[in-house]
Amino acid sequence: MLVRETRAIETGGLWFGHNAVDQLTREVHAHLEAHETLSVQDFKQITELGRKQSIPLLEYLDRNRVTRRQGDDRIKA
């Protein structure tokens, strides 16, 4: 129900609030404006999340063309 109402997203078996993901997307855009790439370590520092939560979120951002994977890093899509 929360996904249908666009109040939450599910990725990698984890659930995240839509507002939190929107804020995260803005932070990723800001990082990529200042730097050319975003590593997993950069993402973990920005979000203060562990790898278990970071990887599914990065894959979600890749699927939604916010970022694009290039080797181990992400770049603007």
Side-chain angles (χ1 to χ4, degrees):
M1 180 173 103
L2 293 174
V3 171
R4 282 194 313 265
E5 294 176 2
T6 67
R7 293 174 35 198
I9 65 153
E10 185 275 329
T11 183
L14 302 171
W15 293 85
F16 300 95
H18 195 287
N19 291 339
V21 174
D22 285 346
Q23 176 63 33
L24 173 66
T25 300
R26 288 190 290 276
E27 291 175 14
V28 166
H29 278 292
H31 179 87
L32 289 172
E33 287 296 321
H35 308 89
E36 290 186 20
T37 63
L38 174 74
S39 68
V40 173
Q41 187 62 35
D42 294 335
F43 186 82
K44 287 171 55 179
Q45 287 177 343
I46 291 168
T47 62
E48 299 181 0
L49 295 172
R51 188 170 184 85
K52 182 179 179 179
Q53 295 84 22
S54 295
I55 298 302
L57 280 170
L58 284 167
E59 291 171 352
Y60 172 83
L61 294 173
D62 293 344
R63 279 193 310 275
N64 287 285
R65 300 182 191 263
V66 174
T67 58
R68 183 170 50 104
R69 186 170 178 181
Q70 184 176 45
D72 290 335
D73 296 330
R74 269 33 183 219
I75 59 173
K76 288 182 189 178

